[in-house]
């Protein structure tokens, strides 16, 4: 009986925690990042301020949890979409990752903005960042997509046409160490290419989420798809049919 009671309490706590996070994103959608506050959430839920502090001690704790959860969900989806495409189709894997990022962002615009765009005024992230593991997974995933295409400078392929002028000292030491450990032999030029790939995937999505494409095109999906096909070709890969 005691275990069942505890299980019920745990379920109720999980449901309340999920509702707190959902309302935080709704407040952000209605009033911007500055609207996220534990007291406002408590009022919305009919809770006392003291009760909500038993779930999140501070507003910053809530924001950190939100960012980590959202970023993890995004990377989970992107990895699953990539892995559903055979390793022998690296171009298809790039497209699967990219399209999934866009689809997730459109379904979770406030989450995308919280991860990548709108700073929460006064927010102090933890020393190692709010979503370090998800960030590392995203970086490794993108690097893996580039590594599958990389053939080295001088090969004549799109992927290998880097300047050859990058060194490991041009990148954050933690990033350089992570890439060297996960992808032995991959040169610094490939890391620079990974950042460029990320920029091309991310740029149009950000323009769409922030409403900049809305008055310019009726079919942002086609624009994005064509850009990703061009990106895949620039890596020297065969675009999906």
């Amino acid at each position: 009986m005691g275990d069942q009671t505890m299980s019920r309490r745990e379920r109720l706590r999980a449901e309340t925690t999920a509702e707190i996070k959902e309302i935080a994103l709704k407040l952000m959608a209605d009033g911007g990042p500055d609207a996220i506050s534990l007291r406002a959430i408590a009022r919305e839920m009919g809770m006392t301020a003291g009760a909500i502090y038993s779930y999140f001690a501070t507003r910053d704790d809530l924001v950190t949890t939100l960012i980590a959860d959202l970023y993890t969900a995004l990377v989970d989806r992107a990895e699953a979409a990539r892995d559903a495409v055979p390793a022998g189709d690296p171009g298809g894997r790039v497209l699967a990752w990219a399209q999934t990022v866009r689809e997730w962002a459109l379904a979770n615009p406030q989450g995308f903005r919280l991860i990548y765009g709108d700073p929460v005024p006064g927010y102090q992230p933890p020393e190692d960042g709010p979503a370090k593991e998800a960030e590392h997974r995203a970086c490794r995933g993108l690097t893996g997509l580039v590594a599958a295409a990389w053939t080295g400078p001088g090969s004549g392929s799109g992927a290998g046409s880097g300047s050859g002028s990058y060194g490991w000292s041009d990148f954050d030491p933690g990033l350089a160490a992570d890439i060297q450990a996960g992808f032995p032999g991959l040169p610094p030029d490939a890391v620079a290419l990974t950042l460029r790939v990320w920029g091309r995937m991310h740029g149009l999505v950000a323009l769409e989420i922030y409403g900049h494409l809305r008055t310019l095109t009726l079919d942002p999906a086609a624009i994005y798809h064509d850009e990703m096909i061009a990106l895949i070709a620039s890596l020297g890969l065969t675009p999906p049919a």
Side-chain angles (χ1 to χ4, degrees):
M1 184 69 174
D3 289 342
Q4 291 178 348
T5 302
M6 180 62 70
S7 177
R8 190 178 308 118
R9 287 174 181 168
E10 289 172 351
R11 285 198 304 272
L12 287 172
R13 185 172 182 85
E15 289 169 3
T16 303
T17 299
E19 187 177 357
I20 289 169
K21 291 187 282 190
E22 182 180 339
I23 291 174
L25 291 176
K26 177 181 177 294
L27 290 173
M28 180 181 169
D30 293 341
D34 200 29
I36 299 176
S37 82
L38 292 180
R39 289 186 177 275
I41 294 168
R43 284 195 301 271
E44 186 88 8
M45 296 179 66
M47 297 173 67
T48 65
I52 204 166
Y53 286 121
S54 69
Y55 289 86
F56 295 97
T58 68
R59 188 279 313 260
D60 284 3
D61 288 342
L62 170 58
V63 172
T64 295
T65 299
L66 275 174
I67 293 173
D69 286 356
L70 290 162
Y71 207 161
T72 299
L74 170 56
V75 177
D76 284 347
R77 289 279 298 276
E79 288 178 343
R82 175 203 62 196
D83 293 344
V85 178
D89 181 12
R93 286 163 72 87
V94 172
L95 184 61
W97 182 289
Q99 287 184 320
T100 300
V101 168
R102 177 178 177 271
E103 290 164 4
W104 185 92
L106 290 176
N108 302 274
Q110 301 312 321
F112 181 89
R113 292 173 63 181
L114 192 60
I115 295 170
Y116 291 118
D118 299 340
V120 178
Y123 171 59
Q124 296 294 324
E127 194 169 310
D128 60 351
K132 204 64 176 177
E133 178 55 29
E135 183 181 348
H136 277 300
R137 286 172 58 198
C139 183
R140 288 193 294 266
L142 284 168
T143 304
L145 295 174
V146 169
W150 187 262
T151 54
S155 68
S157 77
S161 60
S163 67
S165 62
Y166 291 98
W168 289 112
S169 61
D170 293 316
F171 303 100
D172 173 77
L175 171 64
D178 198 37
I179 298 301
Q180 288 173 299
F183 302 90
L186 198 67
D189 258 30
V191 182
L193 180 59
T194 299
L195 296 179
R196 289 159 52 199
V197 165
W198 179 37
R200 290 180 70 174
M201 286 185 178
H202 180 92
L204 279 174
V205 174
L207 288 174
E208 187 173 1
I209 292 299
Y210 281 89
H212 299 299
L213 292 181
R214 194 173 300 134
T215 59
L216 304 176
T217 176
L218 298 178
D219 196 357
I223 301 288
Y224 188 77
H225 181 268
D226 287 346
E227 174 65 358
M228 292 306 101
I229 294 299
L231 167 61
I232 290 165
S234 77
L235 293 173
L237 300 173
T238 303

